[in-house]
Amino acid sequence: MAVGQPDDTMNHPLTYVRRVLLGIGKIRFAEMIRDHGRKLGINMATTRTVVFKWERGDHDPDLIAQRVIGDLLKVPDSVRTSTPWPYWLPAWEPTSSAVPWSQAASLASLNRLAERGSMDRRGFLSVGGAMLVGVGTQWSTADPAIAAATHGDAVTSAAVDLMSQRVSSLRSMEEESGGPHFLESGRTDLRLITRMLDEGRYSEEIGRRLYALAAEVCCLLGWVSYDASLHTAAQEHYGAALRAAKTAGDDRLGVHTLCFLASQAANHREQTAAVGLMDTAEGARSKVPAIMQASLAAHQTTVYSKAGETRKAAAALNRAFDAFGRADRAEAPAYLTWFGEAQLGSTEGRYLLISGQARRATEALERSVNQASPRDKAVRYGTLALAYQDAGNLDGALEATHKAADLIDAGIHSQRGVERLQDVRRALRPHRNESRVREVTERIASLV
């Protein structure tokens, strides 16, 4: 986050810039835009209501308004024109790029998240563009640096084993039902681990295990935040996970985290950054087992599809199936046991849907849904409904939508699942006059 602590109502970056950096209200900000527009020879009709709508996300400023805002805030044109609104606004932490990749910096990052959590701007990333790619590059070039601790109470291998079992239990529970309530449980685990690192006496080997375990927890917290659409928080936890994994010298866990960072970026119009992160992860492919190579290729499929690189996506999907066929499931680390045929089927289905092959997509997605955990079913039924709608099968779309809603009503907590059904509601608009479509759209609205 940027310097200064925004409150929870300050979700939009423009609100943060206006209130924290400029210290002004909407009326004054609108006046400044009009005045600055006149200096540039541009007649602006910006009012308080317009600023309110920008900050609420009802619509984005047009390109002329963005030019005036950028010039007013002294944002270089090269940054403004190469980065989507609102990510070029000066609202993000200059972040980890300026912090050395050291054991001390890793521990400081872990302590901050364990004690304070993340002040999230819902729906927005912390960093993007070249800065986000730079985080991946720094990870790939940094050297592991672990030192033993010689003071405090001894941290035994048995204690680390028990902590690992606790983290595995948390992961299993989250996979079953999802939900942001697991964030506090995860932070409790992270506090226990950082206390061992801060106050314990341990060998280099125990230190490596503790930092790797901290990275696992941060990656899990990143995922839980992402599933709840808390994207600033997700990215901050992924960044801490990368640092801890590097400190532990665990390239597998680093590659795993990069995949999640890239997928999140791709879902937020940061396609160039997402591809750059995937390229960094690809450079470490030979260092990871076949099961992780399959996961890496599956994430590449998603990222390339969203970037419009259909051929690269198809090649990545083939690599994913090939690596999965060669994989020894016993080699899968604990944090990757969820990856299997269901996830590959989901990846294949989404690729086929994006590439205009809706009928084939429904077949892959049906297989994926049948094999998925309850939390994932809630999301994937929504994707299946979109595929049915795209294929002209309204009955299938409505049935899949009701199944997704049933799971959410039954206690599956996934904001992604709700947002996917919002996509379904928009896709069903051509049929909005049909009574059964009105029924399902009203049900989706009640979930929101």
Side-chain angles (χ1 to χ4, degrees):
M1 265 165 307
V3 177
Q5 291 301 319
D7 61 45
D8 289 339
T9 65
M10 231 178 303
N11 290 326
H12 198 285
L14 184 61
T15 311
Y16 180 85
V17 168
R18 177 179 58 76
R19 289 175 57 181
V20 175
L21 300 187
L22 300 179
I24 60 176
K26 297 182 183 71
I27 293 175
R28 177 58 185 143
F29 186 57
E31 290 174 351
M32 290 176 66
I33 292 174
R34 294 196 301 270
D35 291 345
H36 200 74
R38 280 193 291 270
K39 291 179 183 178
L40 298 176
I42 299 171
N43 183 28
M44 299 292 296
T46 310
T47 64
R48 178 193 181 282
T49 301
V50 170
V51 174
F52 173 76
K53 290 181 178 180
W54 289 343
E55 293 184 4
R56 196 169 65 177
D58 289 348
H59 62 81
D60 296 343
D62 61 27
L63 294 179
I64 294 175
Q66 289 189 39
R67 177 190 165 197
V68 174
I69 295 170
D71 198 76
L72 173 66
L73 299 175
K74 296 181 171 55
V75 176
D77 285 344
S78 59
V79 173
R80 177 177 57 79
T81 57
S82 64
T83 308
W85 170 272
Y87 301 112
W88 54 261
L89 290 168
W92 312 121
E93 182 183 19
T95 155
S96 39
S97 59
V99 179
W101 285 65
S102 65
Q103 183 173 344
S106 292
L107 184 54
S109 176
L110 295 171
N111 272 322
R112 182 179 69 81
L113 288 173
E115 295 305 324
R116 293 200 293 111
S118 173
M119 298 287 286
D120 188 81
R121 296 184 196 87
R122 183 181 293 272
F124 295 98
L125 302 181
S126 297
V127 294
M131 187 179 293
L132 181 54
V133 176
V135 171
T137 302
Q138 288 178 332
W139 168 82
S140 68
T141 57
D143 293 320
I146 190 79
T150 57
H151 301 286
D153 294 332
V155 180
T156 64
S157 180
V160 181
D161 288 342
L162 290 170
M163 193 70 236
S164 181
Q165 292 170 17
R166 178 176 172 133
V167 172
S168 292
S169 295
L170 178 65
R171 186 186 300 110
S172 296
M173 288 188 293
E174 192 281 329
E175 286 177 5
E176 184 67 20
S177 62
H181 48 275
F182 287 107
L183 284 170
E184 187 52 43
S185 297
R187 276 197 290 269
T188 298
D189 288 355
L190 188 58
R191 279 193 289 271
L192 290 171
I193 296 167
T194 56
R195 190 171 299 137
M196 293 180 191
L197 288 167
D198 258 337
E199 302 173 6
R201 183 177 79 254
Y202 46 82
S203 65
E204 288 188 9
E205 177 57 28
I206 292 294
R208 273 191 287 271
R209 291 185 63 193
L210 285 173
Y211 274 103
L213 197 54
E216 282 190 45
V217 175
C218 280
C219 198
L220 175 60
L221 285 169
W223 165 256
V224 174
S225 300
Y226 174 81
D227 194 45
S229 292
L230 300 171
H231 294 295
T232 301
Q235 202 177 61
E236 289 183 354
H237 283 98
Y238 289 147
L242 269 183
R243 285 182 172 278
K246 176 56 70 174
T247 300
D250 192 332
D251 285 330
R252 297 185 311 171
L253 189 45
V255 169
H256 180 71
T257 305
L258 282 174
C259 288
F260 281 89
L261 259 179
S263 294
Q264 181 191 28
N267 285 326
H268 282 78
R269 300 187 295 174
E270 284 281 0
Q271 270 74 30
T272 300
V275 170
L277 289 169
M278 282 284 83
D279 289 345
T280 299
E282 174 66 20
R285 178 157 60 100
S286 62
K287 300 178 182 179
V288 302
I291 186 65
M292 186 162 284
Q293 291 177 16
S295 174
L296 169 60
H299 281 89
Q300 287 172 326
T301 303
T302 299
V303 167
Y304 294 149
S305 294
K306 289 184 177 293
E309 299 187 22
T310 307
R311 288 186 178 181
K312 290 180 71 173
L317 184 61
N318 287 334
R319 287 198 303 274
F321 277 104
D322 176 67
F324 188 74
R326 293 184 284 105
D328 179 356
R329 296 306 300 273
E331 292 182 327
Y335 51 82
L336 198 61
T337 54
W338 57 270
F339 183 82
E341 292 181 5
Q343 182 60 35
L344 270 181
S346 176
T347 301
E348 180 185 18
R350 283 181 282 118
Y351 159 74
L352 291 169
L353 184 57
I354 291 173
S355 60
Q357 303 176 67
R359 291 187 183 279
R360 291 183 60 197
T362 60
E363 298 172 6
L365 290 168
E366 284 169 353
R367 293 195 304 272
S368 173
V369 165
N370 291 335
Q371 298 167 326
S373 65
R375 184 208 52 203
D376 289 337
K377 282 180 187 286
V379 180
R380 292 177 189 172
Y381 268 125
T383 307
L384 179 59
L386 289 171
Y388 277 133
Q389 163 65 10
D390 220 24
N393 184 347
L394 182 59
D395 290 338
L398 295 176
E399 181 181 4
T401 302
H402 279 299
K403 287 182 177 178
D406 287 343
L407 286 164
I408 294 170
D409 280 338
I412 298 300
H413 304 286
S414 173
Q415 182 63 23
R416 286 185 310 127
V418 175
E419 290 173 356
R420 193 65 48 84
L421 290 184
Q422 289 283 68
D423 294 336
V424 173
R425 182 166 66 168
R426 285 187 284 271
L428 290 173
R429 281 175 182 166
H431 308 283
R432 58 183 175 272
N433 292 328
E434 294 192 33
S435 59
R436 55 190 182 145
V437 173
R438 286 199 301 272
E439 177 189 349
V440 82
T441 54
E442 287 171 2
R443 186 175 187 191
I444 293 170
S446 70
L447 295 175
V448 177

